[in-house]
């Protein structure tokens, strides 16, 4: 019931914001590649053979959505995640809401929140829920292709996993095509 009320409230807010804006919305396509890094446990200052940071996960995302006005956009996304340390593969499908916090010459600094389902292709762990939150910068290039840099927090709810969550922070590059 709470999710239904939240969805209705979000729809009402988006509609009221959209009704005050004269500019029409538009659809977009998005894609990104995120890399999660961690401090290498084998690193020492004296040892030059070991890097300080090592990759722990890769996350590839693609999606399509609708930009209601200059501030708010909603998209449906699907991705592929692989966590090296735990040998976990996941396929998250989620809906995200992007809100432009600041705009300057069509560059946008934004916050994004996503929530959905995480599918597991192997029986090692069951399917779970997926959440993300992050900040990003969408750059203006003068064309329909807009490069994106983002810093995201990801949470995968997995029953039977340590603390029931697999949390990670990632840096990503991507694009938005309007």
């Amino acid at each position: 019931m709470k999710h239904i009320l939240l969805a209705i409230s979000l729809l009402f807010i988006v509609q009221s914001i959209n009704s005050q804006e004269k500019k029409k919305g538009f659809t977009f396509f998005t894609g990104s590649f995120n890399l999660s890094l961690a401090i290498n446990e084998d690193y020492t200052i004296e040892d030059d053979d070991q890097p300080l940071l090592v990759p722990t996960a890769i996350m590839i995302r693609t999606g399509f959505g609708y930009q209601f006005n200059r501030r708010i956009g909603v998209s449906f996304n699907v991705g592929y995640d692989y966590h090296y340390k735990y040998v976990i593969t996941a396929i998250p499908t989620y809906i995200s809401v992007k809100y432009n916090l600041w705009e300057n010459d069509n560059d946008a600094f934004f916050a994004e929140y996503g929530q959905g389902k995480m599918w597991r292709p192997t029986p090692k762990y069951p399917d779970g829920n997926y959440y993300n939150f992050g900040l990003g910068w969408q750059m203006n290039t003068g064309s329909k292709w807009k490069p994106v840099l983002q810093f995201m927090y990801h949470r995968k709810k997995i029953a039977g996993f340590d603390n029931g969550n697999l949390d990670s922070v990632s840096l990503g590059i991507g694009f938005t095509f309007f």
Side-chain angles (χ1 to χ4, degrees):
M1 186 65 178
K2 289 181 185 178
H3 294 293
I4 293 171
L5 289 175
L6 179 63
I8 291 171
S9 299
L10 181 62
L11 183 62
F12 177 72
I13 291 169
V14 168
Q15 177 58 31
S16 66
I17 290 171
N18 193 29
S19 66
Q20 296 172 7
E21 193 74 31
K22 298 296 181 203
K23 188 176 181 180
K24 296 217 179 219
F26 39 90
T27 58
F28 62 89
F29 177 74
T30 184
S32 69
F33 176 81
N34 294 14
L35 184 63
S36 213
L37 299 171
I39 295 177
N40 187 355
E41 295 172 357
D42 298 327
Y43 176 78
T44 59
I45 295 175
E46 298 84 30
D47 186 10
D48 289 342
D49 295 338
Q50 294 288 329
L52 174 63
L53 298 173
V54 293
T56 58
I58 60 167
M59 299 163 204
I60 301 169
R61 304 279 187 266
T62 188
F64 63 91
Y66 188 78
Q67 186 81 25
F68 291 98
N69 54 38
R70 294 183 68 152
R71 295 264 185 209
I72 296 177
V74 176
S75 64
F76 173 77
N77 303 281
V78 64
Y80 172 81
D81 297 358
Y82 181 72
H83 293 267
Y84 304 117
K85 184 176 181 179
Y86 303 107
V87 190
I88 291 179
T89 302
I91 300 170
T93 55
Y94 61 97
I95 294 184
S96 67
V97 176
K98 184 169 107 174
Y99 182 78
N100 290 341
L101 302 169
W102 162 81
E103 267 190 304
N104 186 12
D105 295 330
N106 289 331
D107 282 2
F109 182 70
F110 62 87
E112 184 173 358
Y113 172 76
Q115 182 174 341
K117 185 77 172 160
M118 182 195 62
W119 309 97
R120 298 271 307 120
T122 61
K124 183 176 179 181
Y125 292 105
D127 295 341
N129 293 326
Y130 175 78
Y131 308 92
N132 72 3
F133 177 77
L135 299 172
W137 177 33
Q138 180 176 290
M139 295 166 263
N140 182 19
T141 59
S143 73
K144 294 183 180 249
W145 292 94
K146 311 279 187 202
V148 175
L149 297 175
Q150 55 191 7
F151 180 75
M152 300 293 284
Y153 168 76
H154 309 268
R155 170 166 278 182
K156 297 170 182 76
K157 297 288 255 179
I158 304 173
F161 194 73
D162 300 337
N163 299 329
N165 299 324
L166 176 56
D167 296 328
S168 57
V169 175
S170 69
L171 295 170
I173 58 170
F175 68 90
T176 303
F177 178 74
F178 290 100

